[in-house]
């Protein structure tokens, strides 16, 4: 009979009446018939699948509203899985002819119920043979003592689920058994309804109410489409392999599934079949759909790739609500970064700046373009401008890697993703109870595509247990979603962890998981917390919209945090507090309400090659007693400062791009200052009740006081972390040991106020930095009771002058190049030295010294654009000698050296004044022996490989400095390499 003899629609109506065996026979007729039968997927195959009493909707219980990809395939998988319990007979390998002599299993069917062969379950089990089926008719069956299964048997409830209930305690003493379509409730004498210690039990479409199941290795368990409610739980002890598929767990008093003990080496017959079933499930190598993320230039999250178009400074200003330059920002009474110098007075009428520029762009300017940091300003090979000289912020940020890419790079994670061992839980729903899955004492588990919702905690992994979590949803937990401690490990990948009451992931006490490509968001506290010597590798995750820090590291936590996107948090992006550490590399940290990275109270991380941008406060905050190596980062377009440092901290800032921030590029403050301290010290909304009360300190990030430790210990367990912390990594730092804050080889460019702002009571070294095009002075030192060294820096084209040093500040300027700033090159009112600097083309005076108690100005080369070369104003006491001063344009007639009349305490000696004696041509002056400063040779003791390749900065001599008497044991500031 040809298919084409009738319309296809009519064939489908006819075939819809065929039972399953007949559909299978029709598939074998021919290819046309097979295609016709397969086309019935959404009609007849769907009807057969939903009508099967042994299974439920293929996407039950977590997503029953979604259609499966194929109803026929779902029915096929159910049929294969339901037969696992019968596959324990060993295959005969000795001779093919023995196949004809194999005895077929004659399965009998026994009926139990009123009016049937047996009225009790115990009576039926006494006569059943191997592999017989016992059919229980609707009713309630209760046994007053434990029932033993001594031969393989199948117990099946007749009718709809719920019509057959068993109040029994069954001990399996046979190799295999199957339970189907039954409701189990505990008898009066035990809460355990089923136990086995060596056989395999298969449970299909059963309900367990207030009951416990116990499986001990080498016993195994396979549960499909089962419900565990009213405090029911499953306990697996040293199980080699068990499979829980599409089950519903609700109302648990403890963990719904407990896995304890290492898998036993002895395996029963079912392990290989369960492993084959587990491998039919999609592996962890498939990447999930893209999660919401912030665009590369800020703004609202958008799917897909990051926005490629560059954002101009004007667009950034508009998005941040006004002028990002923050002109006139007052930090100390009586001083503002908007103050104008004498040389800027003419700018107010709109003519001075243009006049000076026209005069100085002629041939009279001494060339300095080949100074030691000039390569940072030159166009790249593709014609684009480098970050230090581009008027626009970086246009793109790196995308996080996919899970496939991460696994290709990490063999350990790849092995874990492919592992099939212990308890496998997939497509289950855990809801409205105390706990989801608990693993302990070297237990192993694998969780795939489950939903954990409304629990106290979702997953707890402790005592050297191993967990693999792939593509699960963990949400609305009262405490932390996933909790790992006591040397637990595992792989947590492509999960959606959100809306939890505590941290999304809590890692402590030596736990060391691999956390890849998850979405961790919308938490009521932090996204990830690492504390108590916790470790871990946290890579390529999307961490966003958490109420506290996206990643919070404290109490000697020491993770690797790499390649993540951490954005739109309501506090800091990453917080390192209370002696926390960590390797934080190549992350994109953006659009957070407070500091992108917050380091304080002994925090000592390595912060390297991150993008910290578009924050609503400062980019990096280094608070009280903060330390750390901050190296090679891009810190840009933050509404506050690029980097904010308290002077009692001791960080190293090396080789960073700190650009296009609305306020200061880098600001250093004393701890006692109250101005602008609240946000940096962590006083943000929602901080009530956190931290130590009554001690006058704010802790900075969501800092925990001694009274608040319960926030980091689930279920009220309190631990004395101070006495519990190991010190195995106490000497972890491979960086240079420093006793003075170090700022080295950074680019501080296009910031809205001062490039480097210093108001400190401790010493600081500022070496080999490029400070250019800031809207305030390049460097402003307002307070420096101990020595601040400014050595081999390039300070050019800043709006309000090059270097400003206020009264009583102790500062040394040595080997700097100070070029074409729109104010004085150096305005100095403090105590110190100005030695061997090149000061060329500044629109005010080259060097202006006033009211200084003691100053030495020696061996500088100075050419002003329109002011004096060196101006000594007021009662200056000092020594001015061996300087070379070059005349600017001959039409501008100010003296090269100006000394106020009546000043007898200032000594001028051996200074060389060079004037232009030709009326027709400009002089051929050049800066040579040495060439224009800063110099370009490598710093002593530092190899070039320690600097980021894009910042090959250096200095001729490393100036060592020790902290003078009176310095705190935790010295100040940050160092940039």
């Amino acid at each position: 009979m040809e298919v084409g003899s009738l319309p296809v629609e009519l064939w489908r109506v006819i075939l819809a009446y065929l039972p399953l065996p007949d559909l299978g026979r029709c598939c074998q007729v021919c290819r046309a018939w097979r295609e016709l039968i397969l086309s019935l997927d959404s009609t007849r195959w769907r009807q057969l699948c939903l009508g099967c009493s042994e299974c439920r909707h293929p996407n039950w219980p977590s997503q029953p509203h979604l259609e499966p990809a194929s109803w026929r395939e779902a029915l096929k998988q159910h049929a294969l899985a339901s037969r696992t319990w019968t596959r324990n007979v060993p295959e005969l390998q000795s001779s093919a002819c023995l196949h004809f002599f194999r005895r077929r299993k004659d399965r009998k069917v026994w009926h139990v119920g009123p009016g049937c062969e047996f009225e009790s379950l115990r009576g039926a089990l006494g006569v059943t043979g191997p592999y017989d089926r016992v059919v229980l008719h609707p009713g309630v069956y209760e046994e007053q003592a434990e029932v033993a299964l001594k031969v393989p048997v199948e117990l099946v409830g007749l009718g709809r689920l719920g019509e057959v209930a068993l109040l029994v305690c069954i001990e399996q003493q046979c190799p295999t058994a199957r339970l189907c379509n039954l409701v189990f409730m505990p008898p009066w004498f035990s809460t355990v309804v089923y136990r086995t210690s060596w056989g395999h039990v298969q449970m299909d479409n059963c309900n367990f109410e207030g009951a416990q199941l116990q499986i001990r290795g080498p016993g195994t368990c396979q549960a499909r489409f089962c419900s565990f409610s009213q405090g029911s739980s499953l306990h697996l002890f040293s199980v080699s392999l068990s499979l829980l598929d599409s089950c519903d767990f609700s109302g648990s008093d403890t963990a719904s599934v407990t896995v304890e003990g290492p898998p036993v080496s002895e395996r029963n017959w079912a392990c290989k079949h369960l492993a084959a079933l587990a491998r039919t499930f999609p592996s962890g190598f498939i990447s999930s759909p893209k999660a919401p993320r912030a665009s590369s230039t800020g703004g609202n999250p958008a799917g897909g790739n990051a926005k490629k178009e560059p954002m101009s400074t004007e667009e950034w200003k508009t998005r941040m609500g006004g002028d990002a330059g923050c002109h006139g920002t007052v930090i100390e009474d009586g001083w503002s970064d908007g103050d104008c110098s004498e040389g800027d007075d003419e700018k107010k009428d709109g003519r001075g700046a243009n006049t000076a520029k026209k005069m100085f762009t002629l041939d009279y300017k001494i060339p300095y373009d080949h100074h030691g940091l000039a390569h940072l300003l030159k166009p790249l090979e593709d014609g684009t401008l480098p970050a230090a000289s581009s008027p626009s912020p970086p246009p793109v940020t790196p995308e996080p890697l996919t899970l496939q890419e991460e696994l290709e790079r990490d063999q350990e994670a790849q092995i874990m993703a492919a592992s099939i061992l212990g308890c496998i839980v997939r497509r289950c729903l855990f809801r409205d109870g105390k706990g989801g899955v608990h693993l302990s004492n070297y237990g192993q588990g694998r969780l795939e595509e489950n939903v954990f919702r409304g629990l106290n905690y979702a997953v707890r992994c402790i005592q050297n247990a191993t967990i693999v979590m792939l593509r699960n949803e963990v949400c609305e937990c009262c405490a932390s979603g996933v909790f790992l401690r006591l040397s637990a490990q595992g792989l947590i990948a492509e999960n959606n962890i959100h809306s939890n009451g505590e941290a999304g992931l809590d890692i402590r006490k030596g736990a060391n998981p691999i956390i890849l490509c998850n979405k961790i968001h919308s938490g009521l506290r932090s996204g990830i917390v690492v504390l108590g010597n916790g470790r871990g590798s946290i890579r390529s995750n999307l961490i966003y919209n958490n109420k506290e820090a996206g990643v919070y590291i404290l109490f000697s936590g020491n993770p690797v945090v790499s390649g993540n996107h951490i954005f739109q948090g309501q506090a800091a992006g990453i917080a390192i507090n209370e002696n926390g550490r960590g390797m934080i590399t190549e992350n994109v940290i953006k659009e957070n309400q407070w500091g992108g990275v917050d380091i304080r109270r002994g925090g000592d991380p390595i912060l390297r090659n991150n993008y910290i941008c578009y924050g609503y406060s400062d980019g990096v905050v280094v608070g009280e007693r903060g330390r750390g190596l901050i190296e090679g980062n891009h810190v840009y377009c933050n509404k506050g400062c690029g980097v904010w440092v308290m002077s009692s901290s001791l960080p190293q800032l090396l080789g960073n791009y700190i650009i296009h921030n609305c306020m200061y590029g880098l600001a250093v403050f004393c701890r006692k200052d109250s101005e602008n301290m609240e946000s940096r010290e962590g006083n943000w909304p929602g901080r009530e009740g956190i931290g130590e009360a009554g001690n006058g300190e704010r802790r900075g990030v969501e800092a925990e006081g001694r009274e608040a430790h319960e926030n980091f210990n689930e279920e009220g367990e309190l631990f004395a972390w101070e006495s519990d912390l190991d010190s195995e990594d106490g000497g972890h730092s491979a960086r240079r040991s420093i006793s003075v804050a170090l700022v080295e080889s950074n680019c501080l460019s296009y910031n809205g106020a001062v490039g480097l702002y210093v108001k400190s009571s401790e010493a600081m070294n500022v070496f080999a930095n490029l400070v250019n095009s800031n809207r305030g002075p390049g460097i402003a030192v307002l307070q420096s009771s101990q020595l601040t060294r400014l050595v081999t820096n390039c300070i050019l084209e800043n709006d309000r002058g090059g270097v400003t040093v206020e009264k009583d500040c102790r500062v040394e300027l040595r080997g700097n190049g100070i070029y074409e700033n729109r104010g004085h090159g150096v305005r100095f009112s403090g105590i110190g030295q100005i030695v061997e600097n090149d000061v060329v083309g500044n629109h005010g005076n080259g060097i202006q010294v006033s009211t200084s108690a003691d100053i030495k100005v020696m061996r500088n080369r100075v050419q002003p654009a329109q002011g004096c070369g060196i101006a000594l104003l007021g009662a200056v006491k000092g020594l001015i000698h061996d300087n070379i001063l070059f005349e600017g344009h001959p039409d501008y007639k100010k003296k090269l050296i100006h000394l106020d009349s009546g000043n007898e305490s200032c000594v001028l000696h051996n200074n060389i004044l060079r004037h232009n004696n030709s009326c027709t041509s400009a002089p051929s002056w050049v800066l040579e022996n040495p060439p224009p400063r800063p110099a370009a040779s490598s710093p002593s003791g530092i190899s070039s490989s320690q600097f980021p390749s894009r910042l090959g900065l250096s200095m001729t001599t490393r100036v060592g400095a020790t902290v003078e008497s009176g310095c705190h044991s935790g010295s100040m500031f940050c160092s940039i390499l």
Side-chain angles (χ1 to χ4, degrees), residues 110-121 124 134-141 156 158 164:
W110 307 91
H111 292 268
V112 178
C116 299
E117 300 165 278
F118 300 95
E119 292 189 356
S120 69
L121 176 62
V134 177
V135 178
L136 292 97
H137 290 244
V140 178
Y141 300 87
V156 180
L158 186 65
V164 179

Side-chain angles (χ1 to χ4, degrees), residues 616-773:
Y616 293 94
S617 184
D618 306 313
V620 178
V621 174
V622 185
E624 182 184 9
R625 292 191 292 107
R627 298 176 63 90
L629 174 62
I630 302 171
E631 178 180 13
N633 302 283
H634 287 73
V635 185
Y636 60 94
C637 290
N638 295 286
K639 197 169 185 179
C641 303
V643 179
W644 187 96
V645 178
M646 183 180 292
S647 63
S648 62
S649 59
L650 191 65
Q652 303 177 51
L653 278 74
L654 310 173
N656 301 280
Y657 284 103
I658 304 173
I659 57 178
H660 295 285
N661 298 286
C662 289
M663 293 180 65
Y664 307 120
L666 171 59
V668 186
F669 288 91
C670 294
R671 197 217 175 285
K672 62 184 179 181
D673 294 332
S674 59
E675 298 89 344
N676 291 322
M677 296 289 285
E678 281 200 357
S679 65
R680 279 82 172 187
E681 286 300 291
N683 187 24
W684 51 70
R687 293 265 307 132
E688 297 83 357
I690 298 178
E692 298 183 27
N695 64 355
E697 292 184 6
R698 299 184 178 93
R699 298 288 291 274
V701 293
E702 43 292 336
E704 282 65 27
R706 299 295 180 259
E707 300 88 348
H709 278 172
E710 61 271 22
N711 291 324
F712 290 101
N713 297 276
E714 17 87 60
E715 302 177 32
E717 299 177 69
L718 300 181
F719 294 93
W721 292 110
E722 292 83 350
S723 61
D724 189 52
L725 302 182
D726 299 329
S727 58
E728 70 271 15
D729 295 325
H732 75 285
S733 178
R735 69 198 74 149
R736 287 173 288 168
S737 177
I738 62 170
S739 57
V740 176
L742 177 62
V743 180
E744 182 176 349
S745 302
N746 302 281
C747 290
L748 304 167
S749 309
Y750 293 96
N751 296 290
V754 182
L756 170 59
Y757 178 95
V758 180
K759 187 178 179 184
S760 170
S761 59
E762 301 192 33
M764 180 172 67
N765 290 336
V766 182
F767 298 153
N769 299 281
L770 175 63
V771 185
N772 69 292
S773 304

Side-chain angles (χ1 to χ4, degrees), residues 92-105:
L92 299 177
Q93 304 291 341
S94 57
S95 174
C97 66
L98 292 179
H99 176 75
F100 296 101
F101 298 97
R102 290 178 61 186
R103 180 181 177 184
R104 297 186 61 185
K105 299 174 185 175

Side-chain angles (χ1 to χ4, degrees), residues 563-629:
N564 303 281
H565 278 219
I566 304 171
F567 58 97
Q568 295 181 353
Q570 298 178 39
I574 298 178
I576 306 97
N577 200 349
E578 303 293 351
N579 300 310
R581 291 171 288 174
M583 175 73 74
I584 301 168
T585 63
E586 298 178 354
N587 301 282
V588 177
I589 305 168
K590 66 174 74 172
E591 300 174 19
N592 296 287
Q593 290 294 327
W594 298 102
V597 177
D598 190 298
I599 306 167
R600 67 184 73 236
R601 301 186 75 83
D604 190 12
I606 295 175
L607 186 67
R608 179 176 289 145
N609 298 339
N610 300 280
Y611 287 79
I612 305 170
C613 54
Y614 298 105
Y616 293 94
S617 184
D618 306 313
V620 178
V621 174
V622 185
E624 182 184 9
R625 292 191 292 107
R627 298 176 63 90
L629 174 62

